[in-house]
Amino acid sequence: MLQNENIYFFLAILPIVSFLYSSVGHGGASGYLALMALFSFAPESMKPTALLLNIFVAGISFYYYYKEGYFNKKLFLAFAVTSIPFSLLGGRFDIDASLYKKILAVLLIFAILKMLNVFGKESDKIKDIKLWQGLIVGAIIGFFSGLIGIGGGIILTPLILLFHWGKMKEAAAVSALFIWVNSASALIGQFSIGITLEKESFLLVAIALIGGVLGGYYGSKKINNQKLRYILAFVLIIACAKLMFT
């Protein structure tokens, strides 16, 4: 993994990605996968590595948002009941590398739109989520999270805001824990079929945590650096194009 000739450039960008994602309550898997695709990482190492990074960064982000009182337990449980087992199921699937790239490219579009604040508007009128809505949404996002190696926050957060199930920071808190449980479940699914983590993955965790801690702290309080998000969106667009057409 770390034999890549441009690895130092990758390591320099990694904490910036984790900072931006953590600041909005995300673990950053879609960003990590995009970076790994740009730097031509081995496909078999991308999914478990992204899930591992997600667990640590999303966990830190959740801690800060929870500490500020933004967590809605009822909203979280509505999705998590089905997302956890379906994420485990998705993690057990090993799909064709070409198909994997195409699905990831489509999911990156959600991350790009999120970074551009397309889903950034919140409503003063909050609606209670119906049980069947949470169960269906949780199952679908959970399965694709495990299948691709993301936590699902890039899909869940826009849906919470779109259907007015919660406010921005409430959505961030719920998404952070949602990402954590899905990533842990999917990683267990990976281990169950014999996938292992490379030792270098834990070095990436240490580096990503630098940005994750800062992002979670400032994001839960006041920061909203849109210029950096535009830069990340640009990087994601390049990665999306590479995945789609190569």
Side-chain angles (χ1 to χ4, degrees):
M1 181 189 297
L2 297 186
Q3 279 70 45
N4 189 297
E5 60 182 10
N6 296 312
I7 191 61
Y8 292 110
F9 190 33
F10 173 88
L11 295 178
I13 299 175
L14 182 61
I16 298 174
V17 172
S18 64
F19 173 88
L20 291 171
Y21 274 87
S22 179
S23 69
V24 293
H26 291 185
S30 57
Y32 310 140
L33 288 169
L35 275 184
M36 286 187 271
L38 281 175
F39 286 86
S40 302
F41 277 57
E44 62 271 15
S45 69
M46 291 170 58
K47 182 173 172 178
T49 301
L51 289 170
L52 181 68
L53 292 170
N54 243 13
I55 290 171
F56 283 90
V57 176
I60 287 293
S61 182
F62 172 71
Y63 166 77
Y64 284 113
Y65 275 94
Y66 179 84
K67 189 177 177 182
E68 293 296 317
Y70 293 115
F71 182 60
N72 183 329
K73 182 180 179 180
K74 181 181 178 181
L75 184 59
F76 165 74
L77 289 175
F79 303 116
V81 169
T82 51
S83 78
I84 294 173
F86 273 87
S87 184
L88 175 64
L89 178 63
R92 288 181 54 81
F93 279 85
D94 186 17
I95 62 175
D96 175 75
S98 178
L99 178 60
Y100 175 84
K101 289 180 179 179
K102 299 298 184 292
I103 296 175
L104 176 58
V106 172
L107 291 177
L108 281 180
I109 295 173
F110 283 90
I112 293 167
L113 294 175
K114 174 61 182 169
M115 287 299 160
L116 295 176
N117 271 345
V118 172
F119 303 108
K121 296 180 181 179
E122 58 183 3
S123 173
D124 291 328
K125 297 180 180 179
I126 303 302
K127 302 176 182 177
D128 288 331
I129 186 172
K130 293 180 174 61
L131 180 60
W132 65 268
Q133 293 174 321
L135 295 178
I136 293 175
V137 169
I140 295 173
I141 297 178
F143 179 74
F144 278 100
S145 296
L147 185 68
I148 303 303
I150 61 174
I154 58 170
I155 304 173
L156 182 63
T157 298
L159 287 178
I160 291 175
L161 297 175
L162 182 64
F163 291 104
H164 309 309
W165 291 329
K167 291 185 175 294
M168 179 69 75
K169 290 188 182 292
E170 189 175 41
V174 169
S175 292
L177 187 57
F178 181 80
I179 290 166
W180 193 95
V181 296
N182 286 342
S183 298
S185 184
L187 194 55
I188 291 172
Q190 287 275 279
F191 292 154
S192 71
I193 59 172
I195 301 297
T196 58
L197 286 164
E198 297 184 29
K199 294 179 180 178
E200 293 93 336
S201 299
F202 293 95
L203 172 60
L204 300 186
V205 167
I207 294 173
L209 275 177
I210 296 172
V213 170
L214 292 174
Y217 175 77
Y218 287 108
S220 64
K221 294 181 180 296
K222 54 186 176 181
I223 197 169
N224 183 19
N225 196 325
Q226 192 57 50
K227 289 184 179 179
L228 287 176
R229 292 188 190 182
Y230 286 147
I231 294 172
L232 178 56
F234 178 70
V235 172
L236 293 178
I237 289 170
I238 295 174
C240 185
K242 182 178 180 180
L243 287 165
M244 188 65 73
F245 301 110
T246 61

